[in-house]
Amino acid sequence: MAVEAEIDRLPIDLLAHIFVLITSFTDLAQVSSVCRKWRKGVTQSLGGRHNLSFAGCKMDDVSTARLVRHAYSLKELDISRSRWGCQISDNGLYQISLAKCVSNLTSISLWGMTGVTDKGVAHLISRANSLQHLNIGGTFITDESLFVIADNCSHLKYFGAAVI
C-alpha cells in the first residue's frame, strides 16, 4: 500500500493560493509541470490574479493569450517590451482581445511594442470598455488607433502616447 505524501493532501485551493505568490512565469511553468494537480493549481491561481506583467519576459502571442484567458479576474495587463523583448504581434493582441477578462481591464500597457499596428490595437481597445489607464508609448500606431481609443475609452484617466 502506497503512503500518500503530505504535499498530495493539500487541497487545490490552497495550492492555488500559494502559487499566486509566484511572480515568475518561468517558475510557474516549472511548477505546472510537476503533476496534474499542480498544473490545475497554477491554472486556478491565474484565475485569481488581478494583474499580469509580461514586461521583461520573452513571451509570444500564443503563450501570452493562453495565460490571459485563464486570468478571468484580471484588471491590469502589462505587455510592455523591455530588454528581453516581449514579442507580441497584432495576432497576439487579437487573441488577447477574445479573453473574457478584457472588458474588465482597467489598465493596459503596450509600451515599446513595435510589432503591433493600428489593427491589433483596435481589436484590443474596442473590447476593453473599462480602461482607465493606457500606455501605448513607443509604438508605431497612428491616428487610426487614437480614434478607436477616443471612441471606446470613455473612462480613461491616464493616456501615455509618446509615439515613435
Side-chain angles (χ1 to χ4, degrees):
M1 180 168 109
V3 177
E4 185 178 35
E6 293 296 319
I7 192 77
D8 292 334
R9 290 191 204 175
L10 288 177
I12 290 200
D13 291 346
L14 183 56
L15 282 173
H17 182 72
I18 292 167
F19 296 156
V20 164
L21 302 173
I22 299 173
T23 57
S24 163
F25 290 106
T26 303
D27 292 345
L28 275 178
Q30 290 174 343
V31 166
S32 71
S33 66
V34 169
C35 65
R36 285 186 205 130
K37 185 174 183 178
W38 283 35
R39 183 174 312 133
K40 188 174 180 182
V42 168
T43 301
Q44 190 171 330
S45 78
L46 286 170
R49 290 179 187 256
H50 294 286
N51 57 48
L52 285 178
S53 176
F54 301 111
C57 299
K58 206 167 195 174
M59 300 294 290
D60 62 17
D61 291 340
V62 175
S63 57
T64 303
R66 183 173 7 101
L67 289 170
V68 171
R69 274 195 307 273
H70 288 299
Y72 51 83
S73 297
L74 195 61
K75 299 288 183 192
E76 300 176 13
L77 178 61
D78 182 357
I79 52 177
S80 300
R81 182 179 180 156
S82 68
R83 189 173 79 154
W84 298 110
C86 184
Q87 299 298 320
I88 306 299
S89 69
D90 285 342
N91 183 42
L93 292 185
Y94 176 74
Q95 290 178 40
I96 290 168
S97 75
L98 299 176
K100 292 179 182 178
C101 66
V102 169
S103 63
N104 297 323
L105 287 175
T106 58
S107 178
I108 297 175
S109 179
L110 302 174
W111 183 88
M113 298 303 303
T114 57
V116 299
T117 67
D118 292 321
K119 183 179 177 182
V121 172
H123 274 295
L124 182 60
I125 298 303
S126 66
R127 289 179 167 81
N129 310 358
S130 301
L131 274 185
Q132 296 176 13
H133 303 276
L134 177 63
N135 187 350
I136 55 168
T139 65
F140 290 113
I141 60 127
T142 67
D143 289 349
E144 183 179 333
S145 289
L146 298 178
F147 289 127
V148 171
I149 292 165
D151 288 342
N152 290 285
C153 299
S154 60
H155 304 292
L156 208 57
K157 295 177 183 174
Y158 170 80
F159 180 64
V163 184
I164 294 174

